[in-house]
C-alpha cells in the first residue's frame, strides 16, 4: 500500500493550463502526493481554471459545489483553485465557496511546497495571487517526467497586447520568454525519451524574445535535434508574424504546414475597437505569403462574434474574410463581457442577434472544415500516432496539417510516424489504413 496522499486535478481552458497541471503534478509528487483519476479517493482536489469567457468561469463554481459534497463526508479533503479564475477573482472565491482551502494564481505555482506545508499545519484560506518580479520559469522544474510522442513545451507566457475584450493580460501578467538553453535542454531530454513532436506554447508565442533570440531562431535550433521530427507553435498573433518566421515555413521541413492564427473579426472597424493592432489586409497578406513559401500550409483561427458595435455589415466582412482564406478548422465564440476589461464598459448587443450571427459563421466554418477533410480522401499522409482510440485496436494520430486520423492496427503504433491512406471522412476527423 502506498502511503502517499492522492491529488485529483481537473483542468479547464487552454494548453497553457494543461502544461501547468502536468507540472503541478510533478511538484506535488515531490511532496508525497500521487495523481488519481478517482475524485472519491482524493485527499486534495485542484481545479485549474479558465476565465476567458463567463461560462468557463461560472463552471468552476458549479464544480466546486459538487466537490464540497465530498468534503462534507471527508472533512480533511483539501480543495484548491489554481489558474486564471484564481488570479482574476481571488478572495471572491472564498466568499462564493467557503469550502475552498487555497487559491493560487498562475504566477505563484513555485510556492506550492510552501502551501502544502501550511495545509499540513492546518492552515486554511491560503491565497497566493501576487505578481512577482521573479521569473516563473526559474522556479519550475522542467517537464521531463512525462513521455509523449507529441509534447507541449512552454516557451513564453503572458501578454502585453491588451485586446479590449480579454482577461489574459490581467491573469497571466506581462510577456516573459524562457531561455533558449532551458528550452533546448528540455526538448533534448524529452526527445531522448521518445518525443517526436514539440508544440511550443505561449499566449503570444511568436512574440518570443529571449535576449534578442526570436521564435524563428529557436525553431532553427530545435530542428537540429535529430529525434524531433515535427515542430509546431501556438498561439500566434498576426502582429508578430515576422518575415523570418514566415520564411521558416519554407526553409524548415520539420516546421509543420499548419498555423493557428486568430483574427477575431473581418472588419477593420471592429479590429480597431478590439485594439488588435492590425487590419484585415495585413492578415490576408500574411496568409498569402505563407502559402507562397509553403504550398500545403493550412490555417486555423479564432473569431469573436457580436463584439459591442458590430453591425450586420461588420459581420458580413467576417464572413467574407473566411470565404477568402478557407480555414481547415476554426474556433468561434460569442463575445462575453469580462469584468475589468475595457470592452466591459460598452453596450452589449442583443443576445439573439449574437447567437444568430455565430450560428451562420459556424455553419460556414464547419463547411470549410468538411471541404478540407473531404479533399484528403484517397490521399496518403504521414501520421504521428499519439494514443489509443475508442474502438478495439484503434489508434489516433495527426497528419502534418494537424488533422486527427484514426486507423486500426494489431501492432501498437503509438510513437510511430506511419504513412496512412485516407479512406473516409468523419465530421472533424479522418479514417484511414496503414500502408
Ligand atoms: N493569445 C491568443 C488568444 C488567447 S484567448 C490571441 O491573441 O489570439 C483564446 C480565444 O478566446 C481568443 O482568440 C478569442 O477568440 C477568445 N476570447 C478571448 N476573450 C474573449 C471574450 N471576452 N469573449 C469571447 N471570446 C473571447
Ligand atoms: Fe488576449 Fe489579445 Fe493577449 Fe490574445 S493577444 S491573449 S486575445 S489580450
Ligand atoms: Fe483560459 Fe487563462 Fe488559458 S483564461 S484560455 S486558462 S490563459
Amino acid at each position: 500500500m502506498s502511503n502517499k496522499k492522492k491529488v485529483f486535478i481537473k483542468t479547464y481552458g487552454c494548453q497553457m493550463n494543461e502544461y501547468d497541471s502536468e507540472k503541478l503534478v510533478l511538484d506535488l509528487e515531490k511532496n508525497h502526493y500521487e495523481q488519481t483519476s478517482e475524485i472519491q479517493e482524493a485527499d486534495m482536489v485542484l481545479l485549474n481554471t479558465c476565465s476567458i469567457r463567463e461560462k468557463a468561469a461560472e463552471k468552476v463554481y458549479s464544480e466546486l459545489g459538487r466537490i464540497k459534497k465530498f468534503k462534507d463526508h471527508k472533512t480533511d479533503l483539501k480543495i484548491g483553485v489554481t489558474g486564471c479564475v484564481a488570479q482574476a477573482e481571488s478572495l471572491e472565491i472564498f466568499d462564493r465557496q467557503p469550502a475552498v482551502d487555497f487559491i493560487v494564481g498562475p504566477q505563484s505555482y513555485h510556492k506550492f511546497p510552501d502551501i502544502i506545508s501550511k495545509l499540513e499545519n492546518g492552515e486554511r484560506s491560503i491565497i497566493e495571487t501576487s505578481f512577482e518580479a521573479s521569473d516563473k520559469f526559474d522556479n519550475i522544474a522542467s517537464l521531463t517526467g512525462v513521455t509523449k510522442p507529441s509534447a507541449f513545451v512552454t516557451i513564453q507566457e503572458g501578454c502585453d497586447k491588451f485586446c479590449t475584450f480579454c482577461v489574459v493580460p490581467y491573469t497571466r501578467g506581462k510577456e516573459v520568454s524562457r531561455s533558449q538553453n532551458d528550452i533546448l535542454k528540455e526538448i533534448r531530454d524529452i526527445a531522448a525519451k521518445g518525443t517526436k513532436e514539440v508544440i511550443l506554447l505561449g499566449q503570444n508565442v511568436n512574440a518570443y524574445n529571449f535576449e534578442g533570440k526570436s521564435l524563428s531562431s529557436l525553431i532553427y535550433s530545435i530542428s537540429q535535434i535529430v529525434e524531433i521530427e515535427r515542430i509546431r507553435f501556438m498561439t500566434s498573433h498576426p502582429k508578430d508574424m515576422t518575415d523570418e518566421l514566415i520564411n521558416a515555413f519554407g526553409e524548415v521541413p520539420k516546421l509543420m504546414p499548419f498555423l493557428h492564427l486568430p483574427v477575431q473579426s473581418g472588419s477593420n472597424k471592429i479590429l480597431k475597437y478590439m485594439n488588435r493592432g492590425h487590419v484585415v489586409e495585413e492578415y490576408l497578406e500574411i496568409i498569402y505569403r505563407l502559402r507562397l513559401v509553403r504550398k500545403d500550409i493550412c490555417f486555423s483561427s479564432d473569431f469573436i462574434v457580436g463584439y459591442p458595435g458590430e453591425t450586420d455589415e461588420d459581420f458580413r466582412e467576417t464572413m467574407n474574410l473566411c470565404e477568402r482564406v478557407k480555414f481547415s478548422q476554426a474556433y468561434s465564440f460569442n463575445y462575453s463581457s469580462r469584468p475589468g476589461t475595457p470592452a466591459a464598459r460598452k453596450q452589449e448587443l442583443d443576445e439573439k442577434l449574437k447567437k444568430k450571427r455565430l450560428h451562420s459563421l459556424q455553419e460556414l466554418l464547419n463547411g470549410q472544415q468538411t471541404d478540407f477533410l473531404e479533399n484528403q480522401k484517397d490521399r496518403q499522409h504521414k501520421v504521428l500516432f499519439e494514443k489509443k482510440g475508442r474502438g478495439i485496436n484503434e489508434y489516433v494520430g495527426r497528419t502534418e496539417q494537424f488533422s486527427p486520423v484514426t486507423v486500426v492496427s494489431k501492432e501498437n503504433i503509438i510513437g510511430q510516424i506511419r504513412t496512412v491512406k485516407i479512406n473516409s471522412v468523419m465530421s472533424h476527423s479522418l479514417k484511414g489504413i496503414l500502408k
Side-chain angles (χ1 to χ4, degrees):
M1 265 283 285
S2 145
N3 56 5
K4 285 189 171 170
K5 292 193 170 172
K6 292 194 161 59
V7 57
F8 175 88
I9 177 161
K10 185 160 181 181
T11 308
Y12 303 83
C14 62
Q15 291 83 1
M16 201 64 82
N17 263 10
E18 281 177 40
Y19 181 84
D20 285 344
S21 288
E22 289 181 10
K23 291 215 166 185
L24 284 175
V25 168
L26 290 182
D27 273 359
L28 283 162
E29 280 173 357
K30 285 194 208 129
N31 289 280
H32 314 292
Y33 274 87
E34 63 189 5
Q35 196 175 6
T36 175
S37 53
E38 302 295 329
I39 192 165
Q40 291 86 345
E41 58 174 38
D43 302 291
M44 181 190 286
V45 176
L46 283 184
L47 296 186
N48 196 7
T49 61
C50 173
S51 176
I52 200 82
R53 284 169 290 275
E54 188 182 357
K55 255 196 209 138
E58 285 306 310
K59 239 193 314 202
V60 174
Y61 292 101
S62 50
E63 188 66 23
L64 283 173
R66 273 197 292 277
I67 297 165
K68 181 190 174 292
K69 298 209 179 86
F70 289 102
K71 190 160 173 157
D72 291 342
H73 301 290
K74 189 174 187 178
T75 49
D76 59 350
L77 176 68
K78 308 288 184 227
I79 304 177
V81 179
T82 61
C84 291
V85 175
Q87 191 67 47
E89 298 182 21
S90 188
L91 280 171
E92 205 185 315
I93 300 172
F94 290 137
D95 289 342
R96 285 187 64 180
Q97 184 44 271
V100 172
D101 295 280
F102 61 104
I103 296 169
V104 195
Q107 330 301 320
S108 307
Y109 293 153
H110 55 282
K111 297 204 177 134
F112 244 83
D114 193 36
I115 292 164
I116 292 168
S117 64
K118 283 185 180 163
L119 288 169
E120 278 165 6
N121 290 332
E123 273 189 53
R124 293 200 63 222
S125 308
I126 303 165
I127 181 154
E128 292 288 356
T129 51
S130 62
F131 275 46
E132 284 182 10
S134 91
D135 182 349
K136 159 174 177 175
F137 292 127
D138 289 345
N139 298 300
I140 301 177
S142 275
L143 216 180
T144 48
V146 193
T147 312
K148 285 177 174 173
S150 170
F152 292 133
V153 176
T154 296
I155 67 164
Q156 183 275 342
E157 272 236 28
C159 181
D160 298 339
K161 302 279 189 296
F162 290 93
C163 301
T164 51
F165 51 80
C166 184
V167 293
V168 173
Y170 311 97
T171 61
R172 295 277 171 165
K174 62 178 174 39
E175 287 175 4
V176 185
S177 296
R178 192 177 171 197
S179 99
Q180 287 235 3
N181 281 344
D182 286 1
I183 296 166
L184 290 169
K185 184 180 176 315
E186 176 161 337
I187 296 177
R188 281 194 204 99
D189 285 349
I190 57 177
K193 289 184 181 151
T195 293
K196 293 216 166 83
E197 172 180 280
V198 287
I199 305 181
L200 308 174
L201 290 184
Q203 262 97 26
N204 279 290
V205 73
N206 56 345
Y208 176 86
N209 183 330
F210 185 80
E211 294 174 354
K213 292 254 161 81
S214 62
L215 176 61
S216 49
S217 94
L218 181 62
I219 288 169
Y220 285 103
S221 304
I222 297 169
S223 72
Q224 307 294 314
I225 302 172
V226 183
E227 299 90 340
I228 298 298
E229 300 191 45
R230 295 179 164 197
I231 305 169
R232 304 181 190 275
F233 58 88
M234 65 204 267
T235 295
S236 301
H237 194 292
K239 247 171 76 173
D240 296 314
M241 282 309 293
T242 60
D243 293 349
E244 297 80 44
L245 191 54
I246 291 174
N247 289 335
F249 279 93
E251 288 167 8
V252 183
K254 288 182 180 182
L255 186 57
M256 292 291 104
F258 169 85
L259 181 66
H260 180 61
L261 192 64
V263 63
Q264 316 299 355
S265 169
S267 149
N268 282 337
K269 179 188 99 189
I270 297 295
L271 288 177
K272 188 150 194 232
Y273 284 0
M274 288 175 164
N275 190 32
R276 290 289 289 179
H278 68 86
V279 291
V280 169
E281 292 71 19
E282 286 162 323
Y283 185 83
L284 292 172
E285 166 92 17
I286 294 167
I287 301 278
Y288 174 78
R289 289 180 52 205
L290 282 162
R291 282 187 167 139
L292 275 185
V293 297
R294 188 75 174 251
K295 228 175 50 248
D296 58 343
I297 193 166
C298 58
F299 297 97
S300 158
S301 191
D302 291 342
F303 294 90
I304 294 180
V305 175
Y307 186 87
E310 184 189 77
T311 60
D312 281 339
E313 178 53 26
D314 294 320
F315 177 65
R316 254 197 306 280
E317 289 181 358
T318 298
M319 298 285 277
N320 285 345
L321 177 131
C322 295
E323 299 276 15
R324 291 183 68 176
V325 175
K326 298 203 175 13
F327 293 97
S328 65
Q329 59 162 79
Y331 304 92
S332 48
F333 318 93
N334 265 146
Y335 167 73
S336 167
S337 171
R338 306 307 292 128
T341 60
R345 295 193 294 267
K346 298 273 180 337
Q347 177 71 41
E348 283 197 54
L349 296 193
D350 173 63
E351 250 346 277
K352 263 202 194 133
L353 178 68
K354 274 161 71 175
K355 286 212 172 97
K356 190 170 149 251
R357 285 182 189 164
L358 182 63
H359 183 78
S360 313
L361 179 65
Q362 289 183 337
E363 232 170 324
L364 176 64
L365 291 168
N366 281 337
Q368 295 192 343
Q369 182 174 34
T370 307
D371 291 347
F372 177 81
L373 293 174
E374 284 290 344
N375 215 344
Q376 312 310 318
K377 222 164 155 180
D378 299 323
R379 290 201 188 177
Q380 295 197 2
H381 278 286
K382 289 218 172 80
V383 177
L384 170 59
F385 286 95
E386 294 174 38
K387 56 182 185 203
K388 291 210 100 162
R390 279 203 213 109
I392 301 167
N393 292 338
E394 265 184 12
Y395 290 89
V396 184
R398 286 192 188 265
T399 63
E400 296 195 329
Q401 293 166 321
F402 211 53
S403 304
V405 178
T406 305
V407 302
V408 172
S409 161
K410 288 236 165 70
E411 176 202 355
N412 180 350
I413 51 172
I414 294 174
Q416 296 182 18
I417 294 178
R418 299 283 295 262
T419 303
V420 173
K421 184 167 180 197
I422 305 304
N423 56 13
S424 64
V425 175
M426 318 305 283
S427 54
H428 301 287
S429 64
L430 301 167
K431 280 192 170 181
I433 44 168
L434 290 174
K435 292 298 285 180

